[in-house]
């Protein structure tokens, strides 16, 4: 059983590797700090989260377009957005071992000091210094002609630089949004807490363009705050484990008129940012207008005026959502006299929706019937798995641990009356269901 909350993160890291969700990046070569690879089940879980974002923020709405911008962008974009100047964290440096830690990460600072104290050393910290977080590379074959480019530090700018293209090709009416999902890169000084702070990660974002008007701005900001919070809640969180928190004015990014975070009560150090809702005003479009020399204004037919719209942004980390969903779902209980651990994942996120087993693995008629039932379900529910490895208890344990909501077992009675057992992950209860009603039972 879990001894403490902080043990939960270790259990998730270990489960994620053992069961094929997430591995340390390039592990056989010793790995890279802050870089992770997704295995077969992790990639499905991540895909389901992204799909849910895409459905709710983009596909199901008439006022939002999707797009996908490139990762590499010229230096000038980041000058315009203010990142080369401002995208930096003040760090303090340990004068004993030269480790650098963000000045505001008090837990990490204390942990570092404790580490030295244990060795009977006393730490001294330097004055805070600023380091740029953008990851830079060169584009072009020869060293002399190669151009400096940046791997985007946020996916946001890819949308703003395409604002005019979207206007000219789609002719949207304000208010409208542009959403996208994609990788971002940051030279985080202290990557830590598994997927929480990585150097390569994925974001899902919406930029929602509105009339430049204080009342409209307030109304839309409230709308998206609530929308994003409810969306996050539907990933399967208990309400008490999520909260909305306003940024203090000294905490806000350089562009923000107002900023709130959705935070998760994480078992490593309490409330942590999961998602940001930012009122970016006209900061980005105005700057790109100025730096590119291209007119990024919008003509409002209704009001007969031309203006640079304001932007309300919803910005979430995909990997942080994966991590928080796993932490929230991780459960332990007693079932049939044994302790079991399982992932209580929301049904729409589970990597495997249904697992189908023959009761025994060396009985050809059971296997053949189980194969037929598997094929029947898979036609309707593609993420259905067939499993005949090991004994049935072991198979249930594996499916519990990867969060499969329902397991279907084909036994000797199936051969007589065409019924199967359906076992529920959370209660362990089994019900007999006729094969003809099986798919509707599983999808209800
Ligand atoms: P933090 O204060 O935790 O560094 P941030 O305020 O810099 O985050 P934003 O720039 O607002 O983050 O990015 C939007 C979202 O992207 C965050 O809410 C988070 O979910 C995710 N994110 C940001 N940095 C990282 C990272 N290093 N690793 C994983 N996800 C990240």
């Amino acid at each position: 059983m879990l001894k403490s909350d902080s043990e939960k993160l270790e259990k998730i890291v270990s489960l994620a590797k053992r069961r094929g969700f997430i591995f340390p990046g390039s592990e056989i070569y010793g790995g890279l700090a802050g870089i992770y690879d997704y295995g077969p089940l992790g990639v499905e879980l991540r895909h389901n989260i992204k799909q849910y974002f895409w459905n709710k923020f983009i596909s199901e709405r008439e006022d939002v377009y999707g797009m996908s911008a490139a990762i590499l962008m010229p230096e000038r974009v980041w000058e315009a957005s203010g990142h080369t100047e401002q995208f930096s964290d003040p760090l303090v440096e340990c004068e004993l071992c030269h480790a650098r830690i963000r000045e505001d990460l008090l837990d990490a600072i204390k942990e570092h000091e404790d580490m030295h104290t244990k060795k009977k050393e006393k730490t001294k910290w330097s004055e805070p210094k600023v380091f740029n977080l953008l990851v830079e590379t060169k584009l072009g074959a020869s060293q002399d002609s190669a151009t400096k480019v940046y791997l985007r530090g946020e996916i946001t700018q890819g949308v703003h630089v395409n604002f005019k293209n979207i206007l000219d090709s789609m002719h949207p009416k304000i208010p409208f949004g542009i959403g996208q999902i994609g990788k971002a890169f940051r030279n985080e000084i202290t990557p830590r807490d598994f997927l929480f702070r990585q150097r390569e990660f994925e974001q899902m974002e919406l930029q929602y363009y509105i009339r430049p008007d204080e009342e409209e701005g307030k109304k839309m900001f409230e709308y998206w705050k609530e929308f994003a919070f409810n969306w996050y809640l539907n990933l399967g969180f208990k309400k008490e484990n999520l909260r909305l928190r306003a940024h203090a004015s000294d905490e806000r990014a350089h562009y923000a008129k107002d900023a709130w975070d959705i935070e998760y009560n994480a078992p490593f150090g309490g409330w942590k940012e999961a998602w940001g809702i930012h009122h970016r005003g006209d900061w980005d479009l105005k700057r790109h207008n100025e730096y590119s020399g291209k007119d990024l204004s919008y003509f409002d037919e209704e009001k007969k005026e031309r203006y640079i719209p304001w932007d309300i942004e919803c910005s979430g980390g995909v990997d942080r959502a994966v991590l928080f969903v796993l932490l929230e779902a991780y459960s332990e209980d007693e079932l049939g006299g044994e302790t079991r651990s399982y992932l209580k994942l929301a049904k729409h996120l589970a990597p495997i929706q249904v697992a189908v087993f023959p009761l025994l693995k060396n009985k050809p008629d059971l296997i053949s019937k189980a194969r037929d039932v598997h094929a029947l379900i898979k036609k309707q529910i593609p993420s259905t798995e067939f499993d005949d490895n090991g004994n049935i208890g072991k198979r249930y344990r594996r499916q519990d641990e990867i969060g499969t909501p329902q397991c279907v077992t084909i036994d000797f009675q199936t051969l007589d009356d065409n019924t199967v057992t359906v076992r529920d992950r959370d209660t362990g209860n089994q019900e007999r269901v006729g094969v003809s009603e099986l798919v509707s039972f599983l999808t209800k």
Side-chain angles (χ1 to χ4, degrees):
M1 285 300 218
L2 277 174
K3 288 193 207 72
S4 66
D5 241 12
S6 59
E7 206 194 340
K8 214 172 180 181
L9 183 63
E10 286 163 35
K11 293 221 170 185
I12 285 298
V13 174
S14 140
L15 185 154
K17 179 156 186 261
R18 190 161 32 86
R19 293 297 190 191
F21 281 84
I22 297 139
F23 313 120
S26 308
E27 195 184 12
I28 59 166
Y29 287 95
L32 274 175
I35 308 285
Y36 289 90
D37 294 336
Y38 279 73
L41 297 185
V43 79
E44 293 294 338
L45 171 61
R46 185 175 70 174
H47 171 80
N48 292 342
I49 292 174
K50 292 195 285 184
Q51 191 61 49
Y52 187 54
F53 169 84
W54 201 265
N55 290 346
K56 295 295 164 192
F57 280 80
I58 302 168
S59 307
E60 289 178 15
R61 301 185 63 101
E62 291 190 12
D63 56 348
V64 179
Y65 301 90
M67 72 160 288
S68 175
I71 285 172
L72 296 173
M73 301 179 96
E75 196 173 7
R76 195 77 178 137
V77 169
W78 303 104
E79 286 166 10
S81 69
H83 281 82
T84 43
E85 205 181 312
Q86 315 236 20
F87 191 50
S88 31
D89 284 330
L91 307 175
V92 288
E93 188 168 314
C94 169
E95 292 185 357
L96 284 178
C97 69
H98 304 287
R100 289 171 185 160
I101 300 183
R102 258 170 56 176
E103 180 193 32
D104 59 327
L105 295 179
L106 299 180
D107 288 350
I109 290 181
K110 168 91 178 46
E111 202 179 295
H112 192 85
E113 285 172 353
D114 289 349
M115 182 270 290
H116 280 301
T117 313
K118 264 196 205 136
K119 295 191 209 159
K120 307 212 181 329
E121 296 165 343
K122 192 160 161 48
T123 338
K124 255 180 90 186
W125 296 100
S126 70
E127 285 300 304
K129 279 184 240 155
V130 162
F131 294 84
N132 195 293
L133 297 186
L134 285 174
V135 178
E136 129 189 0
T137 186
K138 295 244 166 81
L139 209 54
S142 92
Q143 275 301 321
D144 327 329
S145 61
T147 324
K148 179 157 95 175
V149 292
Y150 288 106
L151 274 62
R152 59 187 177 191
E154 61 177 25
I155 63 170
T156 323
Q157 300 309 323
V159 167
H160 294 309
V161 302
N162 279 289
F163 178 74
K164 187 168 158 39
N165 282 333
I166 302 281
L167 284 189
D168 294 348
S169 56
M170 310 306 290
H171 312 288
K173 298 265 171 300
I174 270 195
F176 72 93
I178 306 176
Q180 84 166 320
I181 300 176
K183 291 268 188 170
F185 303 81
R186 294 181 190 176
N187 257 326
E188 297 279 6
I189 310 297
T190 37
R192 57 187 281 135
D193 300 324
F194 195 29
L195 306 180
F196 181 74
R197 191 167 300 288
Q198 296 167 266
R199 289 183 167 142
E200 172 179 342
F201 55 98
E202 211 166 8
Q203 295 184 306
M204 43 194 164
E205 287 195 351
L206 169 76
Q207 309 302 321
Y208 198 77
Y209 298 105
I210 61 167
R211 267 190 297 121
D213 175 274
E214 291 294 341
E215 276 314 299
E216 180 75 355
K218 278 200 193 107
K219 193 179 88 194
M220 285 300 178
F221 193 79
E222 285 310 309
Y223 172 83
W224 285 111
K225 216 164 79 183
E226 196 185 319
F227 189 94
F229 187 81
N230 287 329
W231 181 87
Y232 218 92
L233 206 56
N234 282 332
L235 295 178
F237 290 94
K238 289 196 202 79
K239 215 166 181 172
E240 65 265 26
N241 284 340
L242 283 187
R243 72 174 188 193
L244 273 161
R245 186 183 68 84
H247 280 201
S249 54
D250 60 350
E251 205 186 339
R252 274 185 221 153
H254 55 274
Y255 49 74
K257 281 165 94 74
D258 194 4
W260 288 63
D261 286 340
I262 298 172
E263 294 183 329
Y264 176 60
N265 192 6
F268 52 98
W271 295 101
K272 302 276 180 196
E273 173 175 343
W275 185 289
I277 303 111
H278 308 125
H279 188 329
R280 296 176 81 111
D282 60 7
W283 162 267
D284 304 88
L285 288 182
K286 221 175 186 164
R287 294 274 288 201
H288 287 304
N289 194 121
E290 184 191 334
Y291 279 64
S292 68
K294 301 286 183 304
D295 178 12
L296 300 185
S297 64
Y298 168 88
F299 184 71
D300 191 325
E301 302 275 358
E302 218 175 281
K303 300 250 168 210
K304 303 281 177 244
E305 21 164 338
R306 182 166 282 287
Y307 52 74
I308 300 244
W310 284 0
D311 170 34
I312 308 292
E313 171 186 67
C314 293
S315 172
V318 175
D319 313 84
R320 275 191 199 176
V322 170
L323 172 61
F324 293 160
V325 160
L326 287 172
L327 287 166
E328 182 79 359
Y330 185 82
S331 315
E332 291 181 354
D333 67 2
E334 295 279 332
L335 195 69
E338 271 185 53
T339 303
R340 68 157 182 167
S341 53
Y342 65 109
L343 289 181
K344 209 171 171 175
L345 292 173
K347 206 167 166 181
H348 64 119
L349 300 184
I352 308 283
Q353 290 292 312
V354 183
V356 180
F357 312 146
L359 179 67
L360 299 172
K361 66 184 212 175
N362 45 9
K363 295 278 174 213
D365 39 354
L366 278 187
I367 296 199
S368 149
K369 181 68 185 171
R371 285 270 174 212
D372 291 348
V373 172
H374 172 249
L376 176 91
I377 304 172
K378 203 166 171 69
K379 249 191 255 164
Q380 306 292 326
I381 311 172
S383 55
T384 297
E385 185 179 88
F386 181 87
D387 188 2
D388 63 356
N389 275 317
N391 67 38
I392 188 106
K394 227 175 179 173
R395 286 180 238 158
Y396 281 140
R397 272 202 298 283
R398 171 170 177 268
Q399 296 299 338
D400 283 346
E401 237 191 340
I402 64 176
T404 306
Q406 288 163 311
C407 293
V408 171
T409 301
I410 282 73
D411 55 18
F412 291 106
Q413 193 181 328
T414 315
L415 305 177
D416 288 338
D417 65 4
N418 212 27
T419 63
V420 296
T421 63
V422 179
R423 175 183 175 274
D424 178 82
R425 173 195 66 201
D426 301 342
T427 59
N429 291 341
Q430 304 197 13
E431 247 184 272
R432 274 211 98 83
V433 180
V435 169
S436 53
E437 300 97 61
L438 188 54
V439 170
S440 70
F441 181 89
L442 292 169
T443 47
K444 83 172 181 272

